[in-house]
């Protein structure tokens, strides 16, 4: 049986959203962007909450995100290749690429 790894970006006060519910409160520097990319590289399926999944979806459809740097290009490639989908208490795991 595999391991379940929980990974999320957060502020020092352990929040992932700002006071308005937005996930775009800060964009990481290229140096910091490498760390989560290296963490997710060996992982299997990626499960996301709906809001985070929707926030990440442009990585597959917006080439300008990947074009920002070598680190963002690598992350975009990992996103495109990953088995992934949104998950919440009312839905099952769904890989949107197979829909």
């Amino acid at each position: 049986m595999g391991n379940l790894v929980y990974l999320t970006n957060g502020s020092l006060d352990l929040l992932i959203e700002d006071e308005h519910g937005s996930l775009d409160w800060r964009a990481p520097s290229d140096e910091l962007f490498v760390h989560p990319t290296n963490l997710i590289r060996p992982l299997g399926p990626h499960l996301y909450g709906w809001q985070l999944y929707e926030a990440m979806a442009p990585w597959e459809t917006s080439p300008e995100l990947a074009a920002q740097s070598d680190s963002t290009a690598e992350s975009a490639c990992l996103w495109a290749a990953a088995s992934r989908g949104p998950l919440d208490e009312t839905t099952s795991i769904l890989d949107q690429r197979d829909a």
Side-chain angles (χ1 to χ4, degrees):
M1 179 181 291
N3 293 323
L4 175 63
V5 177
Y6 177 80
L7 172 69
T8 190
N9 294 333
S11 62
L12 291 176
D13 54 2
L14 303 177
L15 300 175
I16 64 169
E17 298 175 338
D18 66 13
E19 64 274 9
H20 305 290
S22 175
L23 294 172
D24 60 356
W25 52 273
R26 74 176 277 286
S29 68
D30 205 40
E31 181 179 313
L32 291 176
F33 205 86
V34 171
H35 183 67
T37 301
N38 288 337
L39 287 174
I40 65 170
R41 184 183 326 282
L43 301 179
H46 301 192
L47 304 177
Y48 295 88
W50 278 103
Q51 187 177 4
L52 185 55
Y53 185 82
E54 289 174 356
M56 293 293 293
W59 282 97
E60 188 167 354
T61 59
S62 299
E64 63 272 4
L65 290 173
Q68 293 175 7
S69 70
D70 290 343
S71 297
T72 58
E74 185 176 4
S75 185
C77 286
L78 286 172
W79 170 260
S83 174
R84 64 186 179 282
L87 179 70
D88 66 26
E89 64 275 357
T90 62
T91 61
S92 61
I93 300 168
L94 173 66
D95 188 333
Q96 293 293 324
R97 293 176 304 147
D98 294 337

